Amino acid sequence: MIPYGKQSIDQQDIDAVINVLKSDWLTQGPKVPEFEQAVADYTGCKHAIAVNSATSALHIACLALGVKHGDSVWTSPISFVASSNCALYCGARVDFVDIESSTGNMCVIELERKLVHAKKTGQLPKVIIPVHLAGQSCNMKRIHELSLEYAFSIIEDASHAIGAKYQGDPIGNCTYSDITVFSFHPVKIITSAEGGMATTNDSSLARKMQLLRSHGITTVDTEMTEPSHGPWYYQQVSLGYNYRMTDLHAALGLSQLQKIDTFVAKRHQLASLYNDLLNDTLVTPLNQANDTYSAYHLFVVQLKIPCKIKHHKLVTQLREKNIIGHVHYIPIHLQPFYQEMGFKLGDFPNAESYYQCAVSLPLFPNLTEIELEHICSTLKKLLN
Ligand SMILES: *Cc1c(COP(=O)(O)O)cnc(C)c1O
């Protein structure tokens, strides 16, 4: 069976975790700050805050930006549900901006149209969360320009995109956003088993997120309302959570980070082989903009319309042949929980047609060229 994604773990990763198990700290030791510093250095960002998942990172990013009841947050309907749930955790309303069909990313023309309308009705969003689908950056320059005109904050959901570049610079440097969020779930580019990270250049946002990930508790004198009672003393100054990353997870993440460029280069090599072998077939890979370098978390193809074989049947038949194709994503607004809030079929037509024709083919660093050729020839047979 060929899965659609899989982690690559070597002896160095295993040793890194075992060393933590033999050390004095399993959590809140030296590995978490080391991993944070390494991600800050790698992305060229001032601060990195490690947490137990990207979902937690999205939640505290929204809170740090002041998202609350009465606010509205916009994201892409073609994403994992965590991209929009984070706003609901804060009591805010969610809305979506339809995608650009060729890349699956938030469409900036549609975004502008929606902002113009929202300004007239007094319903501008507080935060917009563009999602770098499959590892390719959204048009961040344009989204940033619009944020200046319409006064919203930006959280990049870069769960797919650590190791990617935009206009030559690393995703996560926050040139065009307030906060960037990464996921280290095993199917993503690098893994800490479970884990996430938020990067920012704003020290006040960074401090807020540090407090929020650990109960809202501070041990810093200047953040307290009265002099310390002694060396045991701490104060809870806001309502936070236990979203901390452990040292075991951080050690694994840190070890994986050393291999990130090799992983992404391997993903590119395989993607380009897919492009060659699937040229002149009834599927089209996602378009790659010329100012992006994808992390290639996913290799997505879209069935050309009209195609004889139905999307659903294609994915099912690939699976019958032990090739685990996948579909990213079921449009969030069509989930029953979101339909209960009033969203319905027809609200975001590009996202809905995308869902009818997108297939994620297996892609991970240890996928062999022989496996990839087998996937392509199987796919071709099914298409014809
Ligand atoms: C994986 C993913 C998340 C959630 O990541 P976790 O680390 O599993 O919480 C959020 N957004 C997107 C786009 C993702 O792919």
Tab-separated table of all heavy atoms in Angstrom, residues 147-186:
chain	number	residue	atom	x	y	z
A	147	SER	N	-4.763	44.615	3.529
A	147	SER	CA	-4.862	44.729	4.998
A	147	SER	C	-4.589	46.157	5.445
A	147	SER	O	-5.141	46.618	6.447
A	147	SER	CB	-3.891	43.769	5.691
A	147	SER	OG	-2.564	44.269	5.658
A	148	LEU	N	-3.740	46.864	4.691
A	148	LEU	CA	-3.458	48.261	5.038
A	148	LEU	C	-4.657	49.139	4.703
A	148	LEU	O	-5.027	50.038	5.454
A	148	LEU	CB	-2.209	48.758	4.294
A	148	LEU	CG	-0.922	47.971	4.572
A	148	LEU	CD1	0.240	48.505	3.741
A	148	LEU	CD2	-0.571	47.987	6.061
A	149	GLU	N	-5.297	48.816	3.586
A	149	GLU	CA	-6.447	49.607	3.164
A	149	GLU	C	-7.683	49.340	4.030
A	149	GLU	O	-8.444	50.256	4.328
A	149	GLU	CB	-6.746	49.265	1.689
A	149	GLU	CG	-7.655	50.258	1.006
A	149	GLU	CD	-7.839	49.903	-0.477
A	149	GLU	OE1	-6.987	49.181	-1.052
A	149	GLU	OE2	-8.866	50.353	-1.046
A	150	TYR	N	-7.870	48.090	4.430
A	150	TYR	CA	-9.103	47.717	5.147
A	150	TYR	C	-8.877	47.369	6.617
A	150	TYR	O	-9.781	46.881	7.294
A	150	TYR	CB	-9.805	46.562	4.428
A	150	TYR	CG	-10.339	46.965	3.069
A	150	TYR	CD1	-9.577	46.790	1.919
A	150	TYR	CD2	-11.602	47.557	2.945
A	150	TYR	CE1	-10.051	47.176	0.669
A	150	TYR	CE2	-12.081	47.945	1.711
A	150	TYR	CZ	-11.302	47.754	0.567
A	150	TYR	OH	-11.783	48.142	-0.657
A	151	ALA	N	-7.652	47.600	7.107
A	151	ALA	CA	-7.345	47.477	8.541
A	151	ALA	C	-7.716	46.124	9.167
A	151	ALA	O	-8.439	46.059	10.145
A	151	ALA	CB	-8.019	48.614	9.314
A	152	PHE	N	-7.227	45.057	8.549
A	152	PHE	CA	-7.366	43.756	9.223
A	152	PHE	C	-5.974	43.183	9.494
A	152	PHE	O	-4.990	43.631	8.903
A	152	PHE	CB	-8.216	42.780	8.389
A	152	PHE	CG	-7.728	42.529	6.983
A	152	PHE	CD1	-6.726	41.598	6.722
A	152	PHE	CD2	-8.282	43.233	5.897
A	152	PHE	CE1	-6.288	41.366	5.417
A	152	PHE	CE2	-7.834	43.009	4.593
A	152	PHE	CZ	-6.839	42.071	4.357
A	153	SER	N	-5.899	42.229	10.431
A	153	SER	CA	-4.634	41.541	10.700
A	153	SER	C	-4.576	40.254	9.882
A	153	SER	O	-5.603	39.779	9.384
A	153	SER	CB	-4.516	41.199	12.184
A	153	SER	OG	-4.615	42.354	12.960
A	154	ILE	N	-3.372	39.704	9.751
A	154	ILE	CA	-3.183	38.500	8.922
A	154	ILE	C	-2.472	37.404	9.710
A	154	ILE	O	-1.409	37.637	10.299
A	154	ILE	CB	-2.346	38.822	7.660
A	154	ILE	CG1	-3.022	39.915	6.827
A	154	ILE	CG2	-2.120	37.558	6.826
A	154	ILE	CD1	-2.179	40.395	5.643
A	155	ILE	N	-3.078	36.223	9.715
A	155	ILE	CA	-2.407	35.016	10.217
A	155	ILE	C	-2.229	34.100	9.016
A	155	ILE	O	-3.215	33.704	8.381
A	155	ILE	CB	-3.251	34.272	11.277
A	155	ILE	CG1	-3.567	35.167	12.477
A	155	ILE	CG2	-2.525	32.997	11.741
A	155	ILE	CD1	-4.589	34.558	13.455
A	156	GLU	N	-0.996	33.762	8.661
A	156	GLU	CA	-0.768	32.799	7.582
A	156	GLU	C	-0.911	31.398	8.161
A	156	GLU	O	-0.174	31.043	9.081
A	156	GLU	CB	0.645	32.937	7.005
A	156	GLU	CG	0.903	34.214	6.259
A	156	GLU	CD	2.379	34.355	5.865
A	156	GLU	OE1	2.868	33.573	5.024
A	156	GLU	OE2	3.049	35.259	6.408
A	157	ASP	N	-1.852	30.601	7.646
A	157	ASP	CA	-1.884	29.193	8.023
A	157	ASP	C	-0.925	28.472	7.078
A	157	ASP	O	-1.276	28.110	5.948
A	157	ASP	CB	-3.296	28.608	7.940
A	157	ASP	CG	-3.334	27.145	8.424
A	157	ASP	OD1	-2.261	26.521	8.521
A	157	ASP	OD2	-4.442	26.636	8.686
A	158	ALA	N	0.326	28.329	7.569
A	158	ALA	CA	1.380	27.701	6.765
A	158	ALA	C	1.625	26.275	7.248
A	158	ALA	O	2.752	25.788	7.203
A	158	ALA	CB	2.647	28.541	6.827
A	159	SER	N	0.541	25.633	7.677
A	159	SER	CA	0.651	24.235	8.150
A	159	SER	C	1.279	23.330	7.093
A	159	SER	O	1.916	22.335	7.420
A	159	SER	CB	-0.734	23.692	8.502
A	159	SER	OG	-1.236	24.360	9.623
A	160	HIS	N	1.095	23.682	5.804
A	160	HIS	CA	1.646	22.870	4.713
A	160	HIS	C	3.002	23.393	4.235
A	160	HIS	O	3.565	22.829	3.308
A	160	HIS	CB	0.716	22.922	3.481
A	160	HIS	CG	-0.653	22.394	3.721
A	160	HIS	ND1	-1.614	22.348	2.731
A	160	HIS	CD2	-1.242	21.875	4.826
A	160	HIS	CE1	-2.733	21.836	3.218
A	160	HIS	NE2	-2.533	21.557	4.486
A	161	ALA	N	3.451	24.517	4.787
A	161	ALA	CA	4.434	25.292	4.011
A	161	ALA	C	5.740	25.633	4.719
A	161	ALA	O	6.460	26.521	4.263
A	161	ALA	CB	3.768	26.562	3.493
A	162	ILE	N	6.104	24.921	5.795
A	162	ILE	CA	7.449	25.201	6.317
A	162	ILE	C	8.440	24.667	5.282
A	162	ILE	O	8.226	23.599	4.694
A	162	ILE	CB	7.693	24.623	7.736
A	162	ILE	CG1	8.981	25.233	8.322
A	162	ILE	CG2	7.739	23.092	7.745
A	162	ILE	CD1	9.142	25.055	9.812
A	163	GLY	N	9.460	25.447	4.987
A	163	GLY	CA	10.417	25.048	3.955
A	163	GLY	C	10.103	25.660	2.596
A	163	GLY	O	10.891	25.556	1.666
A	164	ALA	N	8.923	26.311	2.493
A	164	ALA	CA	8.555	26.958	1.231
A	164	ALA	C	9.095	28.391	1.196
A	164	ALA	O	9.514	28.932	2.229
A	164	ALA	CB	7.033	26.983	1.098
A	165	LYS	N	9.082	28.984	0.001
A	165	LYS	CA	9.537	30.376	-0.153
A	165	LYS	C	8.508	31.190	-0.908
A	165	LYS	O	7.757	30.666	-1.735
A	165	LYS	CB	10.864	30.423	-0.905
A	165	LYS	CG	12.011	29.804	-0.142
A	165	LYS	CD	13.339	30.089	-0.833
A	165	LYS	CE	14.493	29.533	-0.021
A	165	LYS	NZ	15.133	28.411	-0.700
A	166	TYR	N	8.511	32.488	-0.607
A	166	TYR	CA	7.668	33.430	-1.336
A	166	TYR	C	8.541	34.607	-1.745
A	166	TYR	O	9.188	35.212	-0.897
A	166	TYR	CB	6.516	33.903	-0.449
A	166	TYR	CG	5.605	34.929	-1.105
A	166	TYR	CD1	4.917	34.624	-2.281
A	166	TYR	CD2	5.463	36.198	-0.563
A	166	TYR	CE1	4.099	35.565	-2.883
A	166	TYR	CE2	4.641	37.149	-1.163
A	166	TYR	CZ	3.962	36.817	-2.328
A	166	TYR	OH	3.154	37.749	-2.931
A	167	GLN	N	8.600	34.890	-3.018
A	167	GLN	CA	9.466	35.936	-3.549
A	167	GLN	C	10.904	35.765	-3.046
A	167	GLN	O	11.570	36.739	-2.689
A	167	GLN	CB	8.897	37.312	-3.198
A	167	GLN	CG	7.523	37.512	-3.833
A	167	GLN	CD	6.926	38.892	-3.592
A	167	GLN	OE1	7.271	39.561	-2.615
A	167	GLN	NE2	6.038	39.303	-4.478
A	168	GLY	N	11.331	34.514	-2.975
A	168	GLY	CA	12.712	34.210	-2.618
A	168	GLY	C	12.991	34.112	-1.122
A	168	GLY	O	14.089	33.722	-0.723
A	169	ASP	N	12.021	34.487	-0.279
A	169	ASP	CA	12.253	34.470	1.166
A	169	ASP	C	11.424	33.389	1.846
A	169	ASP	O	10.346	33.041	1.376
A	169	ASP	CB	11.902	35.832	1.772
A	169	ASP	CG	12.849	36.917	1.283
A	169	ASP	OD1	14.065	36.628	1.185
A	169	ASP	OD2	12.372	38.024	0.989
A	170	PRO	N	11.928	32.899	2.992
A	170	PRO	CA	11.224	31.794	3.661
A	170	PRO	C	9.827	32.176	4.148
A	170	PRO	O	9.639	33.274	4.690
A	170	PRO	CB	12.104	31.464	4.871
A	170	PRO	CG	13.352	32.225	4.717
A	170	PRO	CD	13.152	33.293	3.698
A	171	ILE	N	8.883	31.283	3.958
A	171	ILE	CA	7.563	31.422	4.588
A	171	ILE	C	7.793	31.386	6.095
A	171	ILE	O	8.573	30.571	6.587
A	171	ILE	CB	6.651	30.237	4.166
A	171	ILE	CG1	6.343	30.276	2.681
A	171	ILE	CG2	5.367	30.198	4.995
A	171	ILE	CD1	5.401	31.364	2.255
A	172	GLY	N	7.113	32.279	6.803
A	172	GLY	CA	7.293	32.320	8.261
A	172	GLY	C	8.076	33.539	8.693
A	172	GLY	O	8.185	33.813	9.885
A	173	ASN	N	8.635	34.302	7.714
A	173	ASN	CA	9.369	35.513	8.104
A	173	ASN	C	8.408	36.668	8.422
A	173	ASN	O	8.823	37.704	8.916
A	173	ASN	CB	10.424	35.908	7.052
A	173	ASN	CG	9.806	36.429	5.760
A	173	ASN	OD1	8.583	36.484	5.609
A	173	ASN	ND2	10.649	36.824	4.821
A	174	CYS	N	7.123	36.469	8.137
A	174	CYS	CA	6.066	37.424	8.503
A	174	CYS	C	6.253	38.814	7.883
A	174	CYS	O	5.835	39.818	8.459
A	174	CYS	CB	5.922	37.536	10.022
A	174	CYS	SG	5.393	36.005	10.803
A	175	THR	N	6.875	38.875	6.710
A	175	THR	CA	6.995	40.148	6.005
A	175	THR	C	5.612	40.707	5.684
A	175	THR	O	5.400	41.908	5.742
A	175	THR	CB	7.772	39.948	4.684
A	175	THR	OG1	9.047	39.422	5.016
A	175	THR	CG2	7.941	41.254	3.914
A	176	TYR	N	4.688	39.827	5.328
A	176	TYR	CA	3.361	40.273	4.904
A	176	TYR	C	2.254	39.816	5.865
A	176	TYR	O	1.100	39.694	5.470
A	176	TYR	CB	3.066	39.747	3.496
A	176	TYR	CG	4.009	40.302	2.442
A	176	TYR	CD1	4.908	39.477	1.774
A	176	TYR	CD2	3.997	41.670	2.133
A	176	TYR	CE1	5.777	39.990	0.808
A	176	TYR	CE2	4.853	42.186	1.176
A	176	TYR	CZ	5.744	41.347	0.519
A	176	TYR	OH	6.591	41.852	-0.424
A	177	SER	N	2.614	39.497	7.094
A	177	SER	CA	1.586	39.039	8.036
A	177	SER	C	1.983	39.393	9.463
A	177	SER	O	3.121	39.785	9.716
A	177	SER	CB	1.411	37.521	7.926
A	177	SER	OG	2.597	36.860	8.320
A	178	ASP	N	1.040	39.234	10.384
A	178	ASP	CA	1.330	39.453	11.799
A	178	ASP	C	1.906	38.193	12.435
A	178	ASP	O	2.814	38.262	13.257
A	178	ASP	CB	0.033	39.859	12.523
A	178	ASP	CG	-0.510	41.163	11.973
A	178	ASP	OD1	0.000	42.218	12.379
A	178	ASP	OD2	-1.397	41.127	11.091
A	179	ILE	N	1.326	37.055	12.042
A	179	ILE	CA	1.717	35.777	12.644
A	179	ILE	C	1.655	34.700	11.553
A	179	ILE	O	0.778	34.732	10.687
A	179	ILE	CB	0.745	35.391	13.791
A	179	ILE	CG1	0.782	36.436	14.923
A	179	ILE	CG2	1.064	33.999	14.347
A	179	ILE	CD1	-0.303	36.261	15.989
A	180	THR	N	2.600	33.763	11.591
A	180	THR	CA	2.545	32.583	10.708
A	180	THR	C	2.494	31.338	11.583
A	180	THR	O	3.187	31.270	12.603
A	180	THR	CB	3.782	32.509	9.792
A	180	THR	OG1	3.828	33.680	8.983
A	180	THR	CG2	3.742	31.286	8.881
A	181	VAL	N	1.678	30.368	11.167
A	181	VAL	CA	1.508	29.136	11.946
A	181	VAL	C	1.980	27.930	11.134
A	181	VAL	O	1.643	27.799	9.951
A	181	VAL	CB	0.018	28.987	12.335
A	181	VAL	CG1	-0.281	27.591	12.860
A	181	VAL	CG2	-0.369	30.042	13.371
A	182	PHE	N	2.754	27.066	11.792
A	182	PHE	CA	3.218	25.811	11.176
A	182	PHE	C	2.664	24.609	11.939
A	182	PHE	O	2.449	24.689	13.148
A	182	PHE	CB	4.747	25.709	11.225
A	182	PHE	CG	5.469	26.757	10.430
A	182	PHE	CD1	6.378	27.616	11.045
A	182	PHE	CD2	5.263	26.883	9.063
A	182	PHE	CE1	7.055	28.582	10.317
A	182	PHE	CE2	5.940	27.854	8.323
A	182	PHE	CZ	6.839	28.705	8.960
A	183	SER	N	2.482	23.495	11.221
A	183	SER	CA	2.081	22.229	11.859
A	183	SER	C	3.209	21.206	11.716
A	183	SER	O	3.853	21.132	10.666
A	183	SER	CB	0.827	21.660	11.188
A	183	SER	OG	0.572	20.340	11.664
A	184	PHE	N	3.397	20.412	12.763
A	184	PHE	CA	4.392	19.335	12.715
A	184	PHE	C	3.735	17.962	12.884
A	184	PHE	O	4.320	17.042	13.443
A	184	PHE	CB	5.479	19.563	13.784
A	184	PHE	CG	6.105	20.934	13.722
A	184	PHE	CD1	6.117	21.758	14.842
A	184	PHE	CD2	6.658	21.419	12.545
A	184	PHE	CE1	6.681	23.030	14.792
A	184	PHE	CE2	7.221	22.690	12.477
A	184	PHE	CZ	7.235	23.498	13.606
A	185	HIS	N	2.495	17.865	12.404
A	185	HIS	CA	1.810	16.567	12.356
A	185	HIS	C	2.598	15.648	11.402
A	185	HIS	O	3.201	16.143	10.438
A	185	HIS	CB	0.370	16.800	11.840
A	185	HIS	CG	-0.443	15.555	11.782
A	185	HIS	ND1	-0.367	14.673	10.730
A	185	HIS	CD2	-1.340	15.038	12.656
A	185	HIS	CE1	-1.185	13.655	10.957
A	185	HIS	NE2	-1.791	13.861	12.114
A	186	PRO	N	2.605	14.336	11.645
A	186	PRO	CA	3.452	13.433	10.836
A	186	PRO	C	3.283	13.502	9.313
A	186	PRO	O	4.235	13.215	8.586
A	186	PRO	CB	3.067	12.040	11.350
A	186	PRO	CG	2.616	12.281	12.748
A	186	PRO	CD	1.971	13.625	12.768
